[in-house]
Amino acid sequence: MDQTFNDLYVEIVAMKKDLEEHLEKNQLSAHVKQLAKEELSDINNTLEKWNNGYYGICEETGNQLPVELLSFQPTVRSFREVNHLMKYLKKPVFPL
């Protein structure tokens, strides 16, 4: 489990660096730039939680979020957010 968390930390830091580089180059449309800034904010909040020892803890219940879930979405904040993501991900790309 420690290695999984170490791998997640490396991934989160890499995500932050990548977003910062793209924002620095200023070659993004206004809409994509806004999305990138929001994602960067989520990453910074995640790293702050990591540094304070609260990474992987649901902000609403205080329970540990499953490692599998954190591996899928390292910046997830709560079980409610997970449920929202799962509903979105279950929608078909091409409705019948």
Side-chain angles (χ1 to χ4, degrees):
M1 173 107 94
D2 287 337
Q3 185 59 43
T4 301
F5 274 90
N6 288 337
D7 292 346
L8 283 170
Y9 182 78
V10 169
E11 180 180 346
I12 293 165
V13 170
M15 290 166 56
K16 177 181 170 138
K17 181 182 176 190
D18 186 51
L19 281 171
E20 288 173 338
E21 288 174 359
H22 279 82
L23 286 167
E24 229 176 78
K25 290 179 183 174
N26 206 21
Q27 295 176 336
L28 304 173
S29 69
H31 180 71
V32 173
K33 183 183 257 187
Q34 181 60 38
L35 293 173
K37 286 180 179 180
E38 290 171 11
E39 183 67 17
L40 185 57
S41 177
D42 284 346
I43 290 170
N44 286 328
N45 289 335
T46 298
L47 289 172
E48 182 177 333
K49 288 168 67 175
W50 190 291
N51 292 331
N52 292 324
Y54 294 107
Y55 177 71
I57 305 296
C58 176
E59 291 180 0
E60 296 173 3
T61 67
N63 294 326
Q64 178 70 43
L65 296 163
V67 173
E68 299 84 13
L69 176 63
L70 295 169
S71 294
F72 173 71
Q73 180 63 33
T75 60
V76 72
R77 298 166 29 166
S78 68
F79 284 105
R80 184 187 321 199
E81 186 177 22
V82 171
N83 290 334
H84 177 73
L85 285 170
M86 294 311 292
K87 286 179 187 175
Y88 175 77
L89 293 174
K90 288 182 181 179
K91 291 186 178 185
V93 175
F94 301 105
L96 300 174

Coordinates of all heavy atoms in Angstrom, one line a residue:
M1 N 0.8 -1.2 0.0 CA 0.0 0.0 0.0 C 0.9 1.3 0.0 O 0.6 2.2 -0.7 CB -0.9 0.0 1.2 CG -1.7 1.3 1.3 SD -3.4 1.2 0.9 CE -4.1 0.9 2.5
D2 N 2.0 1.3 0.7 CA 2.8 2.4 0.8 C 3.4 2.8 -0.6 O 3.5 3.9 -1.0 CB 4.0 2.2 1.7 CG 3.5 2.3 3.2 OD1 2.5 2.9 3.5 OD2 4.2 1.7 4.1
Q3 N 3.7 1.7 -1.4 CA 4.2 1.9 -2.7 C 3.1 2.5 -3.6 O 3.4 3.4 -4.4 CB 4.7 0.6 -3.4 CG 5.4 0.8 -4.7 CD 6.6 1.8 -4.7 OE1 7.4 1.8 -3.8 NE2 6.6 2.7 -5.6
T4 N 1.9 2.1 -3.4 CA 0.8 2.6 -4.2 C 0.6 4.1 -3.9 O 0.5 4.9 -4.8 CB -0.5 1.9 -3.9 OG1 -0.4 0.5 -4.2 CG2 -1.7 2.5 -4.6
F5 N 0.7 4.5 -2.6 CA 0.6 5.9 -2.2 C 1.8 6.7 -2.8 O 1.6 7.8 -3.2 CB 0.4 6.1 -0.7 CG -1.0 6.0 -0.3 CD1 -1.5 4.7 0.1 CD2 -1.8 7.1 -0.2 CE1 -2.8 4.6 0.5 CE2 -3.1 7.0 0.1 CZ -3.6 5.7 0.5
N6 N 3.0 6.1 -2.7 CA 4.1 6.8 -3.3 C 4.0 7.0 -4.8 O 4.3 8.1 -5.3 CB 5.4 6.0 -3.1 CG 5.8 6.1 -1.6 OD1 5.5 7.0 -0.9 ND2 6.6 5.1 -1.2
D7 N 3.4 6.0 -5.5 CA 3.2 6.1 -6.9 C 2.1 7.2 -7.2 O 2.3 8.0 -8.1 CB 2.7 4.8 -7.5 CG 3.8 3.7 -7.5 OD1 5.0 4.1 -7.4 OD2 3.4 2.6 -7.7
L8 N 1.1 7.3 -6.3 CA 0.1 8.3 -6.5 C 0.7 9.7 -6.3 O 0.4 10.6 -7.0 CB -1.1 8.1 -5.5 CG -2.0 7.0 -5.8 CD1 -3.0 6.7 -4.7 CD2 -2.8 7.4 -7.1
Y9 N 1.5 9.9 -5.3 CA 2.2 11.2 -5.1 C 3.0 11.6 -6.3 O 2.9 12.7 -6.7 CB 3.1 11.1 -3.8 CG 3.7 12.4 -3.5 CD1 3.0 13.4 -2.9 CD2 5.0 12.7 -3.9 CE1 3.5 14.6 -2.6 CE2 5.6 13.9 -3.6 CZ 4.8 14.9 -2.9 OH 5.4 16.1 -2.6
V10 N 3.8 10.7 -6.8 CA 4.5 11.0 -8.0 C 3.6 11.4 -9.2 O 3.9 12.4 -9.9 CB 5.4 9.8 -8.4 CG1 6.1 10.0 -9.8 CG2 6.5 9.6 -7.4
E11 N 2.5 10.7 -9.3 CA 1.6 11.0 -10.4 C 1.0 12.4 -10.2 O 0.8 13.2 -11.1 CB 0.5 10.0 -10.5 CG -0.6 10.2 -11.5 CD -1.7 9.2 -11.6 OE1 -1.5 8.1 -11.0 OE2 -2.7 9.4 -12.2
I12 N 0.6 12.7 -9.0 CA 0.0 14.0 -8.7 C 0.9 15.2 -8.9 O 0.6 16.2 -9.6 CB -0.6 14.0 -7.2 CG1 -1.7 13.0 -7.1 CG2 -1.0 15.4 -6.8 CD1 -2.1 12.7 -5.6
V13 N 2.2 15.0 -8.5 CA 3.2 16.0 -8.8 C 3.4 16.2 -10.3 O 3.6 17.3 -10.7 CB 4.5 15.7 -8.0 CG1 5.6 16.6 -8.4 CG2 4.3 15.8 -6.5
A14 N 3.4 15.1 -11.0 CA 3.6 15.2 -12.5 C 2.4 15.9 -13.1 O 2.6 16.7 -14.0 CB 3.8 13.8 -13.0
M15 N 1.2 15.6 -12.6 CA 0.0 16.3 -13.2 C 0.2 17.8 -12.9 O -0.2 18.6 -13.8 CB -1.2 15.7 -12.5 CG -1.6 14.3 -12.9 SD -2.8 13.5 -11.8 CE -4.2 14.7 -11.9
K16 N 0.6 18.2 -11.8 CA 0.7 19.6 -11.4 C 1.7 20.2 -12.4 O 1.5 21.3 -12.9 CB 1.2 19.7 -10.0 CG 1.4 21.2 -9.6 CD 1.9 21.3 -8.1 CE 2.3 22.6 -7.9 NZ 2.1 23.4 -6.9
K17 N 2.9 19.6 -12.5 CA 3.9 20.2 -13.4 C 3.4 20.3 -14.8 O 3.6 21.4 -15.5 CB 5.2 19.3 -13.3 CG 6.3 19.8 -14.2 CD 7.5 18.8 -14.1 CE 8.6 19.3 -15.1 NZ 9.6 18.4 -15.2
D18 N 2.7 19.3 -15.3 CA 2.2 19.3 -16.7 C 1.2 20.5 -16.9 O 1.3 21.2 -17.9 CB 1.6 18.0 -17.0 CG 1.1 17.9 -18.5 OD1 2.0 18.2 -19.3 OD2 0.0 17.5 -18.7
L19 N 0.3 20.6 -15.9 CA -0.7 21.7 -16.0 C 0.0 23.1 -16.0 O -0.4 24.0 -16.7 CB -1.7 21.6 -14.9 CG -2.8 20.6 -15.2 CD1 -3.7 20.4 -13.9 CD2 -3.7 21.0 -16.3
E20 N 0.9 23.2 -15.0 CA 1.6 24.5 -14.9 C 2.4 24.9 -16.2 O 2.3 26.0 -16.6 CB 2.6 24.5 -13.7 CG 1.9 24.5 -12.4 CD 2.8 24.3 -11.2 OE1 3.9 23.7 -11.4 OE2 2.5 24.7 -10.1
E21 N 3.0 23.9 -16.8 CA 3.7 24.1 -18.1 C 2.7 24.5 -19.2 O 3.0 25.5 -20.0 CB 4.5 22.9 -18.5 CG 5.7 22.6 -17.7 CD 6.4 21.3 -18.0 OE1 5.9 20.5 -18.9 OE2 7.4 21.0 -17.4
H22 N 1.6 23.9 -19.3 CA 0.6 24.2 -20.3 C 0.0 25.6 -20.1 O -0.2 26.4 -21.0 CB -0.5 23.2 -20.4 CG -0.2 22.0 -21.2 ND1 0.5 20.9 -20.6 CD2 -0.4 21.7 -22.4 CE1 0.7 20.0 -21.5 NE2 0.1 20.4 -22.7
L23 N -0.2 26.0 -18.8 CA -0.7 27.3 -18.5 C 0.3 28.4 -18.8 O 0.0 29.5 -19.2 CB -1.2 27.3 -17.1 CG -2.5 26.6 -16.8 CD1 -2.7 26.5 -15.3 CD2 -3.7 27.4 -17.4
E24 N 1.6 28.0 -18.5 CA 2.7 29.0 -18.8 C 2.8 29.3 -20.2 O 3.1 30.5 -20.6 CB 4.0 28.4 -18.2 CG 4.8 29.3 -17.4 CD 6.0 28.6 -16.8 OE1 7.0 28.4 -17.6 OE2 6.0 28.2 -15.7
K25 N 2.7 28.3 -21.1 CA 2.8 28.5 -22.5 C 1.7 29.4 -23.1 O 1.8 29.9 -24.2 CB 2.8 27.2 -23.2 CG 4.1 26.4 -23.0 CD 4.0 25.0 -23.7 CE 5.3 24.2 -23.4 NZ 5.2 22.9 -24.0
N26 N 0.6 29.4 -22.4 CA -0.5 30.3 -22.7 C -1.0 30.0 -24.1 O -1.4 30.9 -24.9 CB -0.1 31.8 -22.6 CG -1.3 32.7 -22.4 OD1 -2.4 32.2 -21.9 ND2 -1.2 33.9 -22.7
Q27 N -1.1 28.7 -24.5 CA -1.6 28.4 -25.8 C -2.9 27.6 -25.8 O -3.3 26.9 -26.7 CB -0.5 27.4 -26.5 CG 0.8 28.1 -26.8 CD 1.8 27.2 -27.4 OE1 1.7 26.0 -27.2 NE2 2.8 27.7 -28.1
L28 N -3.6 27.9 -24.6 CA -4.9 27.2 -24.4 C -6.0 28.2 -24.7 O -5.9 29.4 -24.5 CB -5.0 26.7 -23.0 CG -3.9 25.8 -22.5 CD1 -4.0 25.5 -21.0 CD2 -3.9 24.5 -23.3
S29 N -7.1 27.7 -25.2 CA -8.3 28.5 -25.4 C -8.8 28.9 -24.0 O -8.4 28.4 -23.0 CB -9.4 27.7 -26.1 OG -9.9 26.7 -25.2
A30 N -9.6 30.0 -23.9 CA -10.1 30.5 -22.7 C -10.8 29.4 -21.8 O -10.6 29.3 -20.6 CB -11.0 31.7 -22.9
H31 N -11.6 28.6 -22.5 CA -12.4 27.6 -21.8 C -11.5 26.5 -21.3 O -11.6 26.1 -20.1 CB -13.4 27.0 -22.8 CG -14.2 25.9 -22.1 ND1 -15.2 26.2 -21.2 CD2 -14.2 24.6 -22.3 CE1 -15.7 25.0 -20.8 NE2 -15.1 24.0 -21.4
V32 N -10.5 26.0 -22.1 CA -9.6 25.0 -21.6 C -8.7 25.6 -20.5 O -8.4 24.9 -19.6 CB -8.8 24.4 -22.8 CG1 -7.7 23.5 -22.3 CG2 -9.7 23.7 -23.8
K33 N -8.3 26.8 -20.6 CA -7.5 27.4 -19.6 C -8.2 27.4 -18.3 O -7.6 27.1 -17.2 CB -7.1 28.9 -20.0 CG -6.2 29.5 -19.0 CD -5.9 31.0 -19.5 CE -4.5 31.1 -20.1 NZ -4.1 32.4 -20.4
Q34 N -9.5 27.8 -18.3 CA -10.3 27.8 -17.1 C -10.3 26.4 -16.4 O -10.2 26.2 -15.2 CB -11.7 28.3 -17.3 CG -12.5 28.4 -16.1 CD -11.9 29.3 -15.0 OE1 -11.4 30.3 -15.3 NE2 -12.1 28.9 -13.7
L35 N -10.6 25.4 -17.3 CA -10.6 24.0 -16.8 C -9.3 23.6 -16.2 O -9.2 22.9 -15.2 CB -11.0 23.0 -17.9 CG -12.4 23.2 -18.4 CD1 -12.6 22.3 -19.7 CD2 -13.4 22.9 -17.4
A36 N -8.2 24.0 -16.9 CA -6.8 23.6 -16.4 C -6.6 24.3 -15.0 O -6.0 23.7 -14.1 CB -5.8 24.1 -17.4
K37 N -7.0 25.5 -14.9 CA -6.8 26.2 -13.6 C -7.6 25.6 -12.5 O -7.1 25.4 -11.4 CB -7.3 27.7 -13.7 CG -6.3 28.6 -14.5 CD -6.8 30.0 -14.6 CE -5.8 30.9 -15.3 NZ -6.2 32.3 -15.4
E38 N -8.8 25.1 -12.8 CA -9.6 24.4 -11.8 C -9.0 23.1 -11.4 O -8.9 22.7 -10.2 CB -11.0 24.2 -12.3 CG -11.9 25.5 -12.5 CD -13.2 25.3 -13.2 OE1 -13.6 24.1 -13.4 OE2 -13.8 26.3 -13.5
E39 N -8.4 22.4 -12.4 CA -7.8 21.1 -12.1 C -6.5 21.4 -11.3 O -6.2 20.6 -10.3 CB -7.4 20.4 -13.4 CG -6.8 19.0 -13.2 CD -7.7 18.0 -12.6 OE1 -8.9 18.2 -12.6 OE2 -7.2 17.0 -12.1
L40 N -5.8 22.4 -11.6 CA -4.6 22.7 -10.9 C -4.9 23.1 -9.4 O -4.2 22.7 -8.5 CB -3.8 23.9 -11.5 CG -2.5 24.3 -10.9 CD1 -1.5 23.1 -10.9 CD2 -1.9 25.5 -11.7
S41 N -6.0 23.8 -9.2 CA -6.5 24.1 -7.9 C -6.8 22.8 -7.1 O -6.4 22.6 -5.9 CB -7.7 25.0 -7.9 OG -8.2 25.2 -6.6
D42 N -7.5 21.8 -7.8 CA -7.8 20.5 -7.1 C -6.5 19.8 -6.7 O -6.4 19.2 -5.7 CB -8.6 19.6 -8.1 CG -10.0 20.0 -8.2 OD1 -10.5 20.8 -7.3 OD2 -10.7 19.5 -9.1
I43 N -5.5 19.9 -7.6 CA -4.2 19.2 -7.4 C -3.5 19.9 -6.2 O -3.0 19.2 -5.3 CB -3.3 19.2 -8.6 CG1 -3.9 18.3 -9.7 CG2 -1.9 18.8 -8.3 CD1 -3.3 18.4 -11.0
N44 N -3.5 21.2 -6.2 CA -2.9 21.9 -5.0 C -3.6 21.6 -3.7 O -2.9 21.4 -2.7 CB -2.9 23.4 -5.3 CG -1.8 23.8 -6.3 OD1 -0.8 23.2 -6.5 ND2 -2.1 24.9 -7.1
N45 N -4.9 21.5 -3.7 CA -5.6 21.1 -2.5 C -5.3 19.7 -2.1 O -5.1 19.4 -0.9 CB -7.1 21.2 -2.7 CG -7.6 22.6 -2.8 OD1 -7.0 23.5 -2.3 ND2 -8.7 22.9 -3.5
T46 N -5.1 18.8 -3.1 CA -4.7 17.4 -2.8 C -3.3 17.3 -2.2 O -3.1 16.6 -1.2 CB -4.8 16.6 -4.1 OG1 -6.1 16.6 -4.6 CG2 -4.3 15.2 -3.9
L47 N -2.4 18.1 -2.7 CA -1.1 18.1 -2.2 C -1.0 18.7 -0.8 O -0.3 18.2 0.1 CB -0.1 18.9 -3.1 CG 0.2 18.1 -4.4 CD1 1.0 19.1 -5.4 CD2 1.0 16.8 -4.2
E48 N -1.9 19.7 -0.5 CA -2.0 20.2 0.8 C -2.5 19.2 1.8 O -2.0 19.0 2.9 CB -2.9 21.5 0.8 CG -3.0 22.2 2.2 CD -3.8 23.4 2.1 OE1 -3.9 24.0 1.1 OE2 -4.4 23.7 3.2
K49 N -3.5 18.5 1.4 CA -4.0 17.4 2.2 C -3.0 16.3 2.5 O -2.8 15.8 3.6 CB -5.3 16.8 1.6 CG -6.5 17.7 1.6 CD -7.6 17.2 0.8 CE -8.3 16.0 1.2 NZ -9.4 15.6 0.4
W50 N -2.2 16.0 1.4 CA -1.1 15.0 1.5 C -0.1 15.5 2.6 O 0.2 14.7 3.5 CB -0.4 14.9 0.2 CG 0.5 13.7 0.2 CD1 1.7 13.6 0.9 CD2 0.4 12.5 -0.5 NE1 2.3 12.4 0.6 CE2 1.5 11.7 -0.2 CE3 -0.6 12.0 -1.3 CZ2 1.7 10.4 -0.7 CZ3 -0.4 10.7 -1.8 CH2 0.7 10.0 -1.5
N51 N 0.3 16.8 2.5 CA 1.3 17.3 3.5 C 0.8 17.4 4.9 O 1.5 17.3 5.8 CB 1.8 18.7 3.0 CG 2.6 18.6 1.7 OD1 3.2 17.6 1.4 ND2 2.5 19.6 0.9
N52 N -0.6 17.5 5.0 CA -1.2 17.6 6.4 C -1.6 16.2 6.9 O -2.2 16.1 8.0 CB -2.3 18.6 6.4 CG -1.8 20.0 6.2 OD1 -0.8 20.4 6.7 ND2 -2.6 20.8 5.5
G53 N -1.4 15.1 6.1 CA -1.8 13.8 6.5 C -3.2 13.4 6.3 O -3.7 12.5 6.9
Y54 N -3.9 14.1 5.5 CA -5.3 13.8 5.2 C -5.7 13.3 3.9 O -6.8 13.3 3.5 CB -6.2 15.1 5.5 CG -6.1 15.5 7.0 CD1 -5.4 16.6 7.3 CD2 -6.8 14.8 7.9 CE1 -5.4 17.0 8.7 CE2 -6.7 15.2 9.3 CZ -6.0 16.3 9.6 OH -6.0 16.6 10.9
Y55 N -4.6 13.0 3.1 CA -4.9 12.5 1.7 C -5.6 11.2 1.8 O -5.3 10.3 2.6 CB -3.6 12.3 1.0 CG -3.8 11.8 -0.4 CD1 -4.4 12.5 -1.4 CD2 -3.5 10.4 -0.7 CE1 -4.7 12.0 -2.7 CE2 -3.8 9.9 -2.0 CZ -4.4 10.7 -2.9 OH -4.6 10.2 -4.2
G56 N -6.6 11.1 0.9 CA -7.4 9.8 0.8 C -8.5 9.7 1.8 O -9.1 8.6 1.9
I57 N -8.8 10.7 2.6 CA -9.8 10.7 3.6 C -11.0 11.5 3.0 O -10.9 12.6 2.5 CB -9.4 11.4 4.9 CG1 -8.1 10.7 5.4 CG2 -10.5 11.4 5.9 CD1 -8.2 9.3 5.8
C58 N -12.2 10.9 3.1 CA -13.4 11.6 2.6 C -13.7 12.8 3.4 O -13.7 12.8 4.7 CB -14.6 10.6 2.8 SG -16.2 11.4 2.3
E59 N -13.8 14.0 2.7 CA -14.1 15.3 3.4 C -15.4 15.3 4.1 O -15.6 16.1 5.0 CB -14.0 16.4 2.4 CG -12.6 16.6 1.8 CD -12.5 17.8 0.8 OE1 -13.6 18.4 0.5 OE2 -11.4 18.0 0.3
E60 N -16.3 14.4 3.8 CA -17.6 14.5 4.4 C -17.8 13.5 5.6 O -18.4 13.8 6.6 CB -18.7 14.3 3.4 CG -18.8 15.4 2.3 CD -19.7 15.1 1.2 OE1 -20.4 14.0 1.2 OE2 -19.7 15.9 0.3
T61 N -17.2 12.3 5.4 CA -17.4 11.2 6.4 C -16.2 11.0 7.3 O -16.3 10.4 8.4 CB -17.8 9.9 5.7 OG1 -16.7 9.4 5.0 CG2 -19.0 10.1 4.8
G62 N -15.0 11.4 6.8 CA -13.8 11.1 7.5 C -13.3 9.7 7.3 O -12.3 9.3 7.9
N63 N -14.0 8.9 6.5 CA -13.5 7.5 6.2 C -12.5 7.5 5.1 O -12.5 8.4 4.2 CB -14.8 6.7 5.8 CG -15.7 6.5 6.9 OD1 -15.4 6.4 8.1 ND2 -17.0 6.4 6.6
Q64 N -11.7 6.5 5.1 CA -10.7 6.3 4.1 C -11.3 5.9 2.8 O -12.2 5.1 2.7 CB -9.7 5.1 4.5 CG -8.6 4.8 3.5 CD -7.6 5.9 3.4 OE1 -7.2 6.4 4.4 NE2 -7.2 6.2 2.2
L65 N -10.9 6.6 1.7 CA -11.4 6.3 0.4 C -10.6 5.1 -0.2 O -9.4 5.0 0.2 CB -11.2 7.5 -0.6 CG -12.0 8.8 -0.2 CD1 -11.4 10.0 -0.9 CD2 -13.4 8.6 -0.6
P66 N -11.2 4.2 -0.9 CA -10.5 3.1 -1.4 C -9.3 3.4 -2.3 O -9.4 4.4 -3.1 CB -11.6 2.3 -2.3 CG -12.9 2.9 -1.8 CD -12.6 4.3 -1.3
V67 N -8.3 2.7 -2.1 CA -7.0 2.9 -2.9 C -7.3 2.8 -4.4 O -6.8 3.6 -5.2 CB -5.9 2.0 -2.4 CG1 -4.7 2.1 -3.3 CG2 -5.6 2.2 -1.0
E68 N -8.1 1.8 -4.8 CA -8.4 1.7 -6.2 C -9.1 2.9 -6.8 O -8.8 3.3 -7.9 CB -9.4 0.5 -6.4 CG -8.9 -0.8 -5.9 CD -9.1 -1.1 -4.4 OE1 -9.9 -0.3 -3.7 OE2 -8.5 -2.0 -3.9
L69 N -9.9 3.6 -6.0 CA -10.5 4.8 -6.4 C -9.5 5.9 -6.5 O -9.5 6.7 -7.5 CB -11.6 5.2 -5.4 CG -12.3 6.5 -5.7 CD1 -13.1 6.4 -7.0 CD2 -13.3 6.8 -4.6
L70 N -8.6 6.0 -5.6 CA -7.6 7.1 -5.6 C -6.7 6.8 -6.8 O -6.2 7.8 -7.4 CB -6.8 7.1 -4.3 CG -7.6 7.5 -3.1 CD1 -6.8 7.2 -1.8 CD2 -8.1 8.9 -3.2
S71 N -6.4 5.6 -7.1 CA -5.6 5.3 -8.3 C -6.3 5.7 -9.6 O -5.6 6.1 -10.5 CB -5.3 3.8 -8.4 OG -4.5 3.4 -7.3
F72 N -7.6 5.6 -9.6 CA -8.4 6.0 -10.8 C -8.5 7.5 -10.9 O -8.4 8.1 -11.9 CB -9.8 5.4 -10.7 CG -10.7 5.8 -11.8 CD1 -10.6 5.4 -13.1 CD2 -11.8 6.7 -11.5 CE1 -11.4 5.9 -14.1 CE2 -12.7 7.1 -12.4 CZ -12.5 6.7 -13.7
Q73 N -8.8 8.2 -9.7 CA -8.9 9.7 -9.7 C -8.2 10.2 -8.4 O -8.8 10.3 -7.4 CB -10.4 10.0 -9.6 CG -10.8 11.5 -9.6 CD -10.3 12.2 -10.8 OE1 -10.3 11.7 -11.9 NE2 -9.9 13.4 -10.6
P74 N -6.9 10.5 -8.5 CA -6.1 10.8 -7.4 C -6.6 12.1 -6.6 O -6.2 12.3 -5.4 CB -4.7 11.1 -7.9 CG -4.7 10.5 -9.3 CD -6.2 10.5 -9.7
T75 N -7.4 12.9 -7.2 CA -7.8 14.2 -6.5 C -9.2 14.1 -6.0 O -9.8 15.1 -5.5 CB -7.7 15.4 -7.5 OG1 -8.6 15.1 -8.6 CG2 -6.3 15.6 -8.0
V76 N -9.8 12.9 -6.0 CA -11.2 12.8 -5.4 C -11.2 13.2 -4.0 O -10.3 12.9 -3.2 CB -11.7 11.3 -5.7 CG1 -11.1 10.3 -4.7 CG2 -13.2 11.3 -5.5
R77 N -12.3 13.9 -3.6 CA -12.4 14.4 -2.3 C -13.4 13.8 -1.3 O -13.3 13.8 -0.1 CB -12.8 15.9 -2.4 CG -11.7 16.7 -3.1 CD -12.1 18.0 -3.6 NE -13.2 18.7 -2.8 CZ -13.4 20.0 -2.8 NH1 -12.8 20.7 -3.7 NH2 -14.4 20.5 -2.1
S78 N -14.5 13.1 -1.9 CA -15.5 12.5 -1.1 C -16.2 11.4 -1.8 O -16.1 11.2 -3.0 CB -16.5 13.6 -0.7 OG -17.3 14.0 -1.8
F79 N -16.9 10.6 -1.0 CA -17.7 9.5 -1.6 C -18.8 10.1 -2.4 O -19.2 9.5 -3.5 CB -18.3 8.6 -0.5 CG -17.3 7.7 0.1 CD1 -16.8 7.9 1.4 CD2 -16.8 6.6 -0.6 CE1 -15.8 7.1 2.0 CE2 -15.9 5.7 0.0 CZ -15.4 6.0 1.3
R80 N -19.4 11.2 -2.1 CA -20.4 11.9 -2.9 C -19.8 12.2 -4.3 O -20.5 12.0 -5.3 CB -20.9 13.1 -2.2 CG -22.1 13.7 -3.0 CD -22.5 15.1 -2.5 NE -22.5 15.1 -1.1 CZ -23.2 16.0 -0.4 NH1 -23.9 16.9 -1.0 NH2 -23.2 16.1 0.9
E81 N -18.6 12.7 -4.3 CA -18.0 13.0 -5.6 C -17.8 11.8 -6.4 O -18.0 11.7 -7.6 CB -16.7 13.7 -5.4 CG -16.0 14.2 -6.6 CD -14.7 15.0 -6.4 OE1 -14.1 14.8 -5.3 OE2 -14.3 15.7 -7.3
V82 N -17.4 10.7 -5.7 CA -17.3 9.4 -6.4 C -18.6 9.0 -7.1 O -18.6 8.5 -8.2 CB -16.8 8.3 -5.4 CG1 -16.8 6.9 -6.0 CG2 -15.4 8.6 -4.9
N83 N -19.7 9.1 -6.3 CA -21.0 8.7 -6.8 C -21.3 9.5 -8.1 O -21.9 9.0 -9.0 CB -22.1 8.8 -5.8 CG -21.9 7.7 -4.7 OD1 -21.3 6.7 -4.9 ND2 -22.4 8.0 -3.5
H84 N -21.0 10.8 -8.0 CA -21.3 11.7 -9.2 C -20.5 11.2 -10.4 O -21.0 11.1 -11.5 CB -21.0 13.1 -8.8 CG -21.2 14.1 -9.9 ND1 -22.4 14.4 -10.4 CD2 -20.2 14.7 -10.7 CE1 -22.2 15.2 -11.4 NE2 -21.0 15.4 -11.6
L85 N -19.2 10.9 -10.2 CA -18.3 10.5 -11.2 C -18.8 9.2 -11.8 O -18.8 9.0 -13.1 CB -16.9 10.3 -10.7 CG -16.1 11.5 -10.5 CD1 -14.8 11.2 -9.8 CD2 -15.8 12.2 -11.8
M86 N -19.2 8.3 -11.0 CA -19.7 7.0 -11.5 C -20.9 7.1 -12.3 O -21.1 6.4 -13.3 CB -19.9 6.0 -10.3 CG -18.6 5.7 -9.6 SD -17.2 5.2 -10.6 CE -17.8 3.6 -11.2
K87 N -21.8 8.0 -11.9 CA -23.0 8.2 -12.7 C -22.7 8.7 -14.1 O -23.2 8.3 -15.1 CB -24.0 9.2 -12.0 CG -24.7 8.5 -10.9 CD -25.6 9.5 -10.2 CE -26.2 9.0 -8.9 NZ -27.0 9.9 -8.2
Y88 N -21.7 9.7 -14.1 CA -21.3 10.3 -15.4 C -20.6 9.2 -16.3 O -20.8 9.2 -17.5 CB -20.3 11.4 -15.1 CG -19.7 12.0 -16.3 CD1 -20.5 12.9 -17.1 CD2 -18.4 11.7 -16.7 CE1 -19.9 13.4 -18.3 CE2 -17.8 12.3 -17.8 CZ -18.6 13.1 -18.6 OH -18.0 13.7 -19.7
L89 N -19.7 8.4 -15.7 CA -18.9 7.5 -16.4 C -19.8 6.3 -17.0 O -19.4 5.7 -17.9 CB -17.8 6.9 -15.6 CG -16.7 7.9 -15.2 CD1 -15.7 7.3 -14.2 CD2 -16.0 8.4 -16.5
K90 N -20.9 6.1 -16.4 CA -21.8 5.0 -16.8 C -22.7 5.4 -18.0 O -23.3 4.5 -18.6 CB -22.7 4.5 -15.7 CG -21.9 3.7 -14.6 CD -22.9 3.3 -13.5 CE -22.1 2.5 -12.5 NZ -23.0 2.1 -11.4
K91 N -22.7 6.6 -18.3 CA -23.6 7.1 -19.4 C -22.9 6.6 -20.8 O -21.7 6.7 -21.0 CB -23.7 8.6 -19.4 CG -24.6 9.0 -18.3 CD -24.8 10.5 -18.4 CE -25.7 10.9 -17.2 NZ -26.2 12.3 -17.2
P92 N -23.7 6.1 -21.7 CA -23.2 5.7 -23.0 C -22.8 6.9 -23.8 O -23.3 8.0 -23.7 CB -24.4 5.0 -23.6 CG -25.6 5.5 -23.0 CD -25.2 5.9 -21.6
V93 N -21.8 6.7 -24.6 CA -21.3 7.7 -25.5 C -22.3 7.9 -26.6 O -22.5 9.1 -27.0 CB -19.9 7.3 -26.1 CG1 -19.4 8.3 -27.1 CG2 -18.9 7.1 -25.0
F94 N -22.8 6.9 -27.1 CA -23.8 7.0 -28.2 C -25.1 6.4 -27.6 O -25.4 5.2 -27.6 CB -23.4 6.2 -29.4 CG -22.1 6.6 -30.0 CD1 -20.9 5.9 -29.8 CD2 -22.0 7.8 -30.7 CE1 -19.7 6.3 -30.3 CE2 -20.8 8.2 -31.2 CZ -19.7 7.5 -31.0
P95 N -26.0 7.3 -27.2 CA -27.3 6.8 -26.6 C -28.1 6.0 -27.7 O -28.0 6.3 -28.8 CB -28.1 8.1 -26.3 CG -27.0 9.2 -26.3 CD -25.9 8.7 -27.2
L96 N -28.8 5.0 -27.2 CA -29.6 4.2 -28.0 C -30.9 4.9 -28.5 O -31.4 5.7 -28.0 CB -30.0 2.9 -27.3 CG -28.8 2.1 -26.9 CD1 -29.2 0.9 -26.1 CD2 -28.0 1.6 -28.1

